[in-house]
Each structure stands twice: as C-alpha cells, then as structure tokens.
Amino acid sequence: MTLARFRPSKGTLALGALSALAFVVAVMRYAFGLRAISNLSDGYPWGFWISFDLLCGVALAAGAFTTASVVYIFDLKRFNPLLRPAILTGFLGYLMVIVALLVDLGRPERIWHLIIFWNPESVMFEVGWCVMLYTAVLALEFSSVVFEKFGWRRLSALHRYVTPALVILGTLLSTLHQSSLGSLFLAAPTKVQPLWFSPWLPVFFFLSAVAVGPAIVIVESFISARVLQRGLETELVGELARAIPLALGAYLILKVFDLTTAGEWGSAFQGSTGALFWLEIIGGVILPLGLFALPSVRRSDARLFGAALLVIGGVVLNRFDVSLIGWARPAETWYFPHWMELAMTAGIVAGGVMVFGLVARYLPLFTPSHAAEPAE
Amino acid sequence: MLIDETRCTGCRACQVACKQWNDLPAETTRNRGTYTNPPALSANTWSLIEFKEIETRGQIGFYFLRRACMHCEHPACASACLVGALHKTAEGPVLYDDHKCIGCRYCMIACPFGIPTFDWNKGLLDQPLIRKCVFCADRVQNGLTPACAKACPSRVILFGGRDELIAEGEARIRQSPGRYVNRIYGKAEAGGTSVLYLSSIPFEQLGLPRLDSAPVTVLSEWVMRYTLPFAAAWGAALTGLALLVRWRNRGKPKRPSSKEAA
Ligand code: SF4
Ligand code: SF4
C-alpha cells in the first residue's frame, strides 16, 4: 500500500472539512478570547468542553486500560486481537483530550507550569499529572505496532519484556485518573445537585469507566469491522462484555447505598433533574445490566452494539449531569453551548477518526501477533 | 473587615473607589430593571453593591449586599489551584500570582461564594487572567485601609484585625439586639472568612450562601492526602494479582486465540 494510491473518500473529505473548521475556530479563540467562540461565563466557568471532551473523553478512553488489564493482568491471552485497536482508541482519545484542553485553558502556553509549580492538595494537580503520564504510557504501549511495522526486532523484544509492567502502571494511572475526575467535584459540595454529589464520586467515576471500557471496545470493533470490511470477533467481544454487568452492578449497589445513607431519594422524584436521574439509571445502568447478562445478547453483533451504546449513553449523560446540568447556576445566568464550541469538539473528534483510519491502513493494527505476547 | 449592612445606603462609593484604585475600566451595561449595575462581578468589577427588594414583616425593604472576595481563612480557591497561584497571606488577603495561573478556572468552580472571574474577552496576546478583589494589599501594606473602607461615607466597612472585628460585631448585636440577626456571617462559614457581615435580615435572603463551618474542600483534601498511599497499595495489589494469575496458569499450554482475525 502506498500513499500514491490514496484517494480520499467522501467520508474522509467531510472529516477533513470539520477539522479545518475547528482550526479556524481555534485561531479565533486564540486571537480574540474565549468569549468570541463560546458561551462560557463567570457563572459557568466550565462548559461543554469540560463535560464532553474532558470527562466523557477520558471515560471513553477506558477501553485501553480495561482490555490491557484483561490481557496482561488476568493473563487472558485470547483477547489479544482486541488489544491493539483498543489501545489506539485510548491513545487517540487522550490526545484529543489534550487538544481540547489546549483550547479550553485560559493560558494554554503555560500548561507546562504543572510540572514546576506543585500544589498536591489540588485534585486538578492529580488530573494534570495523570493526563501527562498516562498519555506517555499509552504511547509506549502502542509503540510495539510501529516497531513491528519497521521490523525493529531488538525494540520489539524489549517491548515484550516491559509490557506487563507498563500495563500495570497504565492501569494504576487510569484508576487514579478516572476517579480523580470525579474527585474534582468534591471541592464544590454546594454546587453539584445532591442527586449527583457524593463523597463516593471518585468511585462512581471509576466504576462507570470500567463498565464503559468494554462497551467502547465493542463499538470500535463493530465500526471498524464495517468500515474496513473485516470480520467481527463476535465471540471474543461478547466474552469481554461479560465484565460490563459486574461493573454496572457494583455501580448500582453503591448508588442505592449512597442515596439511602444521604437520604436523598426525595430529590429523585422532583422535577426534570429527577427525570434525568432515572433516565441515566434505568437506561444507562439497569437496562444494559440486564441485556449484557443475557447470552443471546452477547452472541449477536447488533444486540451487543445496541447494549454497548446504552452504556456509553448512560456514562455521557452522567458526566453532563454531574458537571453541567446539575450545576447550581447563579441567578440570571444560563448556559447552552455556542455552535463554535460544538464545532471545535466535532473537529477534534473528526481528526481523531482520520488518524485512526490512517493507522488502520498503514500499521499492523488488527494482525494478532506474537509481538504482543509477553516473554516469560 | 466587618460589613454592617444595616448602615449601608447603597451609594456605591465603595464600588467606584475600588475601580479607581485598581484601575478597572467601566463596563457598558443596559437597563435590566434593577439598580444593581453592572449585573455581576467580573474581571473589571471586583466589588459590587447588589440591590435587593425584600419583603419582611409585610413591608418591602431595600437591602444592599456588598459582594466581593471573602478572603477565606481556608480558601477553597487556593486549595483547588493546581499550580498554587492563589494563597492566603499571613495578613489576611488571599492573593493571586499572575505568573503561575494556567487558566483552568478550577478556582471558580471551587469558590463557594462565586467570586473569581476570568478575562473572557482577552486573546492570548492580551494575557487573560483570573481577577478578584485583592483586599487592596498594596494599600494595607503601607498602612492604609482598603479603598472601599476608606470611601464609605456611612462607615459600613470597618477595617481591622479579625478578632477585634468579631468582638465589635458581637458588641453591636448585644447593644441593639432588635436591629441585627443574632449571628456574624463569616465567623464560622466555610472555615471562617476575613470579611464578616452583620445584617438585619437572614443572610440567605440577602444572597449569601448557606454554608457549613467546615471548609468546602475538606473532602477533596482528604482524598488527595490518601491518594499516594492508595496508589502504592493499588500498584502492589495489581502486581500481586498479575503474578498470582501467572503462577496459577503455569504449565498450562498457551491457549491459541479463540479466532484468528482476518
Ligand atoms: S471568597 Fe472565594 S475567591 Fe475569595 S478567598 Fe474565599 S474561596 Fe477564594
Ligand atoms: S484558573 Fe489559574 S488561579 Fe484558578 S485554579 Fe486554574 S491555574 Fe489556579
């Protein structure tokens, strides 16, 4: 395959156009300030980008650490074929998070300050370090694909040797990072709705990330099977899906326990926030929990895909509920994302999809290889 | 500083003095059917008189809340800032270091009073920053009182040491119990604040948030304190688990992938 044969399809052109638009928006943002392209304000200092690009982005990158720990910590080597695409999805996910942060931060040119100025009391300090370190770990985990492509045997051998340690480090960092995004909101106990505020926020964020990890792997396998016209490893993917009800079940039990001890069930039956709460719990937790527990669902491509979308939808709704919809807004303030905020996000995602497509085309992404087997 | 709302006439001399001393430009606003103007604190308005029409005992009354940074004893903004750009000084003011901030705006999320504001209209070359009341630290260091306290003709804003001001406030409540709510706002709220309020109507009605006496960041600080020990234990547990699984799987033939991908 050579570049010369590359003819962009309609889809690629559309993705390219979205990215180009986002680039223009970014230039405007840097030239004229955040107000020029967003509806962020002193009443809503965080908006769509934090809720979607950061909170959802990191949660949806959880496929990488969940799959990697299945293969290397639980030593279930048969899941190997799912690993490389999962890691690539996670790696690109983190890169997209970083790009979005560079747009959202007030002073992106100072992002490196987090390395030299420390405040270990701050949850944001942990978030920053986790983004930085885990992105590096994902890059290293993925580097084997590059080594293999270019036939660098020595490096491949070294990689095989260190991979288990790398995966343990990655799982540790992911645990910290996923949970710390929940902890961020512990500092605002008076501003997050009681239905979502809880001292258990870090645990909720972690458990829902564990549940959504395999769901993302399902969706990503399903889509790349379609687009790249490969067979879907239904059996394998279905088996991975068995982890989802466990995580969702733990989440549900903790949520019931938490709302009961906090005495907050009353708010679950009030107004539109109550309705959102039930949508999230029934649609995103209870329903998929039941579905994934059924063998008939786990054996069918379409049903797996549908149930996975439910889990993803539930997690996305949850992140928005915690950070934006359930946010106590000061009087007279209101927020709805500006179209340029959405265009920015769409452009970043489009860029990620294009890079995924390029990598799938030119690097050995789907070849299950012994390169991923650890040397023991 | 002690702010006795019962004495305030709503003249806004403090608001103007703050702008003058700190060189803050005026804002263009439109009539919104209220005397509060500009509508909210912003990067160019660090101190604001909010006009409230409140019905008490069957009568509509005009009440004035001076809103600005509370200079908390245990500031949530400082606890939240990842680069430590905000800090509590020994003299009382909570100050901001222009050179450290990366603009993440987490301080705005954490502050229970909704005080820090951001330069939303500035592009990168204009160097946007977080802005809020600085307690006129430059004046105070040179033996002057803050500009707002100096300007107030009704002597609503009293500047002094925190303990003295609490004593003064309690004395006023004792002398005219009918005039005041029997409590000083800020004595305990969110771990205590350097700005204290006396009022004739409940503080929540005036627009001040109802807060516990614990700093709002107790939970997040607790989590951060145990994060490293947790990370060490979790890392060890994951390593142990990986080794255990391998030890149990020893000798078993390596299972082939259940299905080779195409
Ligand atoms: S009122 Fe808000 S900005 Fe001022 S010191 Fe307290 S937490 Fe910080
Ligand atoms: S916006 Fe600046 S001052 Fe506020 S928390 Fe972030 S880095 Fe600190």
Side-chain angles (χ1 to χ4, degrees):
Chain A
M1 246 186 267
T2 59
L3 271 171
R5 270 180 46 200
F6 179 69
R7 255 179 288 110
S9 66
K10 276 202 194 103
T12 315
L13 285 176
L15 292 173
L18 280 176
S19 296
L21 177 62
F23 183 77
V24 176
V25 172
V27 171
M28 282 176 66
R29 178 255 170 275
Y30 291 131
F32 307 115
L34 280 165
R35 171 102 355 118
I37 62 152
S38 78
N39 287 337
L40 295 171
S41 66
D42 292 322
Y44 276 100
W46 285 359
F48 185 79
W49 294 325
I50 294 292
S51 299
F52 187 79
D53 296 58
L54 176 67
L55 299 184
C56 296
V58 169
L60 300 184
F65 93 87
T66 44
T67 314
S69 50
V70 164
V71 175
Y72 285 101
I73 295 182
F74 293 100
D75 203 23
L76 299 170
K77 291 285 163 351
R78 62 182 182 280
F79 290 105
N80 230 333
L82 301 179
L83 188 58
R84 285 181 168 184
I87 291 196
L88 178 63
T89 312
F91 180 43
L92 292 178
Y94 267 73
L95 290 182
M96 292 193 278
V97 167
I98 294 176
V99 173
L101 283 180
L102 288 175
V103 174
D104 181 81
L105 280 182
R107 301 299 290 267
E109 81 278 17
R110 290 179 174 175
I111 193 166
W112 56 277
H113 278 190
L114 91 111
I115 301 172
I116 54 164
F117 299 120
W118 286 27
N119 177 14
E121 248 184 13
S122 161
V123 181
M124 194 56 99
F125 173 80
E126 184 186 348
V127 170
W129 276 89
C130 284
V131 172
M132 197 165 70
L133 294 178
Y134 188 51
T135 309
V137 167
L138 282 170
L140 288 176
E141 284 181 3
F142 189 70
S143 62
S144 65
V145 180
V146 181
F147 299 157
E148 190 184 306
K149 164 82 182 177
F150 294 104
W152 295 336
R153 294 259 165 76
R154 282 268 189 79
L155 281 172
S156 289
L158 179 68
H159 194 274
R160 237 171 291 150
Y161 188 69
V162 299
T163 298
L166 212 52
V167 168
I168 290 177
L169 180 62
T171 306
L172 173 60
L173 286 170
S174 287
T175 312
L176 293 179
H177 191 209
Q178 299 288 353
S179 60
S180 66
L181 291 178
S183 312
L184 275 182
F185 294 90
L186 289 181
T190 55
K191 298 187 188 171
V192 179
Q193 285 255 350
L195 271 178
W196 289 286
F197 184 81
S198 153
W200 296 99
L201 266 174
V203 184
F204 285 133
F205 269 54
F206 175 68
L207 286 176
S208 50
V210 172
V212 86
I216 280 293
V217 173
I218 292 170
V219 168
E220 166 262 305
S221 313
F222 188 88
I223 295 178
S224 47
R226 279 284 168 96
V227 175
L228 306 171
Q229 284 146 22
R230 314 164 35 251
L232 177 68
E233 300 100 342
T234 312
E235 199 185 319
L236 205 52
V237 172
E239 215 183 324
L240 187 70
R242 290 169 66 169
I244 297 178
L246 295 180
L248 288 180
Y251 183 92
L252 191 62
I253 292 170
L254 187 62
K255 189 80 201 171
V256 170
F257 167 79
D258 176 49
L259 281 179
T260 310
T261 50
E264 283 297 345
W265 281 108
S267 1
F269 300 97
Q270 274 164 19
S272 52
T273 46
L276 276 174
F277 170 78
W278 287 113
L279 182 64
E280 181 189 321
I281 292 293
I282 296 178
V285 181
I286 299 177
L287 192 59
L289 188 132
L291 288 175
F292 277 118
L294 297 175
S296 65
V297 170
R298 294 203 305 271
R299 265 186 248 113
S300 136
D301 289 3
R303 291 185 201 157
L304 267 177
F305 185 69
L309 285 185
L310 282 179
V311 179
I312 294 171
V315 169
V316 169
L317 181 58
N318 171 262
R319 298 308 191 257
F320 272 87
D321 281 339
V322 171
S323 62
L324 205 54
I325 302 174
W327 191 246
R329 59 201 172 108
E332 294 187 44
T333 41
W334 198 73
Y335 171 82
F336 191 83
H338 193 283
W339 71 264
M340 284 201 255
E341 280 175 73
L342 303 177
M344 192 68 231
T345 297
I348 295 173
V349 175
V353 172
M354 283 194 292
V355 176
F356 190 99
L358 280 179
V359 173
R361 189 181 282 252
Y362 296 109
L363 293 179
L365 190 58
F366 296 102
T367 36
S369 78
H370 25 255
E373 299 268 329
E376 276 172 284
Chain B
M1 78 176 33
L2 178 70
I3 301 180
D4 188 338
E5 300 289 353
T6 64
R7 291 175 168 228
C8 180
T9 60
C11 76
R12 288 191 278 224
C14 53
Q15 196 177 313
V16 175
C18 174
K19 287 223 174 199
Q20 274 174 345
W21 181 260
N22 294 301
D23 256 333
L24 301 172
E27 293 182 38
T28 325
T29 54
R30 48 191 178 81
N31 190 330
R32 297 157 34 255
T34 154
Y35 286 102
T36 309
N37 190 44
L41 292 179
S42 74
N44 292 328
T45 305
W46 300 351
S47 172
L48 178 71
I49 295 290
E50 290 181 6
F51 289 67
K52 318 249 168 179
E53 284 159 59
I54 296 170
E55 195 182 312
T56 42
R57 298 182 210 101
Q59 274 190 331
I60 301 268
F62 238 151
Y63 296 87
F64 315 103
L65 171 67
R66 193 208 73 134
R67 202 184 279 284
C69 177
M70 303 287 284
H71 298 281
C72 306
E73 296 286 282
H74 191 108
C77 58
S79 168
C81 177
L82 78 167
V83 292
L86 290 145
H87 68 284
K88 176 87 178 165
T89 54
E91 300 77 38
V94 172
L95 297 180
Y96 169 81
D97 185 338
D98 287 4
H99 302 288
K100 284 186 178 172
C101 175
I102 65 170
C104 69
R105 309 187 295 281
Y106 188 38
C107 49
M108 302 172 70
I109 294 290
C111 169
F113 301 100
I115 298 301
T117 53
F118 181 72
D119 280 322
W120 298 103
N121 293 320
K122 287 191 180 171
L124 275 199
L125 295 180
D126 299 325
Q127 315 228 339
L129 293 168
I130 290 289
R131 305 275 71 171
K132 71 170 192 70
C133 155
V134 292
F135 224 141
C136 288
D138 49 349
R139 292 175 59 95
V140 173
Q141 263 156 22
N142 290 299
L144 300 170
T145 58
C148 54
K150 179 94 196 319
C152 178
S154 329
R155 288 194 292 145
V156 172
I157 306 173
L158 207 61
F159 179 73
R162 188 167 187 265
D163 297 335
E164 298 154 37
L165 291 174
I166 290 177
E168 168 67 21
E170 283 169 351
R172 287 190 193 179
I173 294 176
R174 238 179 293 120
Q175 276 154 25
S176 16
R179 188 180 168 100
Y180 297 106
V181 171
N182 185 16
R183 191 158 74 85
I184 301 180
Y185 188 96
K187 187 178 167 189
E189 272 74 12
T193 57
S194 290
V195 175
L196 306 159
Y197 286 92
L198 288 176
S199 161
S200 56
I201 56 167
F203 297 103
E204 287 79 32
Q205 268 190 319
L206 205 55
L208 290 166
R210 186 194 295 272
L211 294 168
D212 289 343
S213 57
V216 290
T217 45
V218 270
L219 268 177
S220 60
E221 279 164 30
W222 185 88
V223 165
M224 287 312 292
R225 210 163 24 248
Y226 290 101
T227 292
L228 266 191
F230 166 80
W234 184 236
L238 289 172
T239 315
L241 182 65
L243 292 174
L244 182 75
V245 172
R246 262 144 235 259
W247 179 72
R248 285 193 45 185
N249 286 356
R250 75 196 181 283
K252 281 192 203 161
K254 285 230 177 330
R255 276 209 258 166
S257 303
S258 62
K259 186 176 166 190
E260 296 288 315

